[in-house]
């Protein structure tokens, strides 16, 4: 039974925790990189240009902008909790047989045996183990810095949009003035 206790002590739980934590940190880093790439793509007119209805016109006109310009933001994710569960069940039953002989000699002996199929069958030894690793990934808002960057990009796009509206309004006034001048002539 001493071997079983030693096997339990030999489970490198600390190493397992460090490896899981390291894997989570690496996974978090990769998820953040992907979210940043998505944010960059969402703000790029060449990659994520969308058309929105121009509500200032009579209808049918569209405004081209990016996803960020339209108010969308990329989703960021984080590991919110991780559970490591290790279960081990060990059962050992021994059977002894005694025999009486005619000789008056007695004796005592110790023996040890490795656990193999024969030993398991003869002495009803069972050992089983299971482990479970469960982690939860949840969406979170971008960091305050990223939010500020996204807002600045959206404001820049809005300013460009406002400039286009002013240019369109000036063009409309110019056309109206030309039409009014033609009516006078």
């Amino acid at each position: 039974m001493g071997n079983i206790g030693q096997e339990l002590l030999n489970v490198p739980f600390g190493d397992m925790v460090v490896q899981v934590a390291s894997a989570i940190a690496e996974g978090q880093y990769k998820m953040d990189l992907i979210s940043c790439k998505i944010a960059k793509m969402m703000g790029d007119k060449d990659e994520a240009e969308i058309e929105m209805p121009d509500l200032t016109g009579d209808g049918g006109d569209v405004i081209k902008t990016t996803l960020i310009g339209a108010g969308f933001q990329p989703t960021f994710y984080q590991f919110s909790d991780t559970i490591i569960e290790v279960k081990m069940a060990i059962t050992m039953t021994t059977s002894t047989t005694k025999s009486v002989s005619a000789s008056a000699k007695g004796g005592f002996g110790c023996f040890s045996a490795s656990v193999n199929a024969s030993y398991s069958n003869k002495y009803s030894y069972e050992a089983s183990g299971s482990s479970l690793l469960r982690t939860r990934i949840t969406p979170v808002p971008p960091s305050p810095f990223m939010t500020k960057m996204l807002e600045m990009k959206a404001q820049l796009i809005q300013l460009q949009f406002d400039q286009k509206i002013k240019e369109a309004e000036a063009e409309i006034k110019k056309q109206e003035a030309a039409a009014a001048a033609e009516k006078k002539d």
Side-chain angles (χ1 to χ4, degrees), residues 56-132:
T56 62
D58 291 338
D61 294 333
V62 295
I63 300 166
K64 294 183 178 184
T65 187
T66 64
L67 290 168
I68 288 178
F72 292 94
Q73 290 190 354
T75 303
F76 286 78
Y77 296 93
Q78 73 178 13
F79 289 93
S80 59
D81 61 332
T82 300
I83 298 169
I84 301 172
E85 187 176 301
V86 178
K87 295 179 183 179
M88 187 172 281
I90 300 170
T91 305
M92 184 170 176
T93 323
T94 59
S95 62
T96 57
T97 58
K98 293 183 181 181
S99 64
V100 178
S101 69
S103 73
K105 292 183 180 179
F108 178 76
C110 293
F111 74 96
S112 67
S114 62
V115 176
N116 56 27
S118 172
Y119 181 89
S120 294
N121 288 336
K122 185 174 182 180
Y123 294 103
S124 301
Y125 171 86
E126 292 179 31
S128 63
S130 68
S131 62
L132 167 74

Side-chain angles (χ1 to χ4, degrees):
M1 200 134 190
N3 289 342
I4 297 168
Q6 187 60 46
E7 285 180 30
L8 284 172
L9 292 174
N10 288 340
V11 173
F13 190 74
D15 291 345
M16 184 171 47
V17 170
V18 169
Q19 288 175 354
V20 168
S22 180
I24 288 172
E26 185 177 335
Q28 184 68 58
Y29 172 73
K30 288 179 180 179
M31 286 191 307
D32 290 344
L33 280 179
I34 290 168
S35 293
C36 288
K37 285 180 183 179
I38 291 171
K40 182 179 178 184
M41 179 273 305
M42 289 175 74
D44 188 346
K45 278 191 175 184
D46 294 333
E47 289 190 55
E49 184 176 68
I50 62 169
E51 294 181 352
M52 295 179 57
D54 183 356
L55 302 176
T56 62
D58 291 338
D61 294 333
V62 295
I63 300 166
K64 294 183 178 184
T65 187
T66 64
L67 290 168
I68 288 178
F72 292 94
Q73 290 190 354
T75 303
F76 286 78
Y77 296 93
Q78 73 178 13
F79 289 93
S80 59
D81 61 332
T82 300
I83 298 169
I84 301 172
E85 187 176 301
V86 178
K87 295 179 183 179
M88 187 172 281
I90 300 170
T91 305
M92 184 170 176
T93 323
T94 59
S95 62
T96 57
T97 58
K98 293 183 181 181
S99 64
V100 178
S101 69
S103 73
K105 292 183 180 179
F108 178 76
C110 293
F111 74 96
S112 67
S114 62
V115 176
N116 56 27
S118 172
Y119 181 89
S120 294
N121 288 336
K122 185 174 182 180
Y123 294 103
S124 301
Y125 171 86
E126 292 179 31
S128 63
S130 68
S131 62
L132 167 74
L133 173 63
R134 183 182 312 149
T135 187
R136 182 178 302 163
I137 300 172
T138 56
V140 294
S143 70
F145 176 76
M146 180 62 78
T147 301
K148 186 67 175 168
M149 296 290 290
L150 294 171
E151 287 173 1
M152 288 171 41
K153 178 72 175 176
Q155 287 172 359
L156 177 63
I157 292 169
Q158 183 65 41
L159 288 174
Q160 292 169 347
F161 173 69
D162 290 344
Q163 181 62 36
K164 287 181 182 179
I165 288 176
K166 287 178 184 177
E167 290 170 4
E169 288 173 344
E171 182 63 31
I172 290 170
K173 286 181 183 179
K174 187 176 172 184
Q175 290 175 1
E176 288 173 349
E182 277 184 23
K183 283 184 181 180
K184 285 184 182 180
D185 291 339

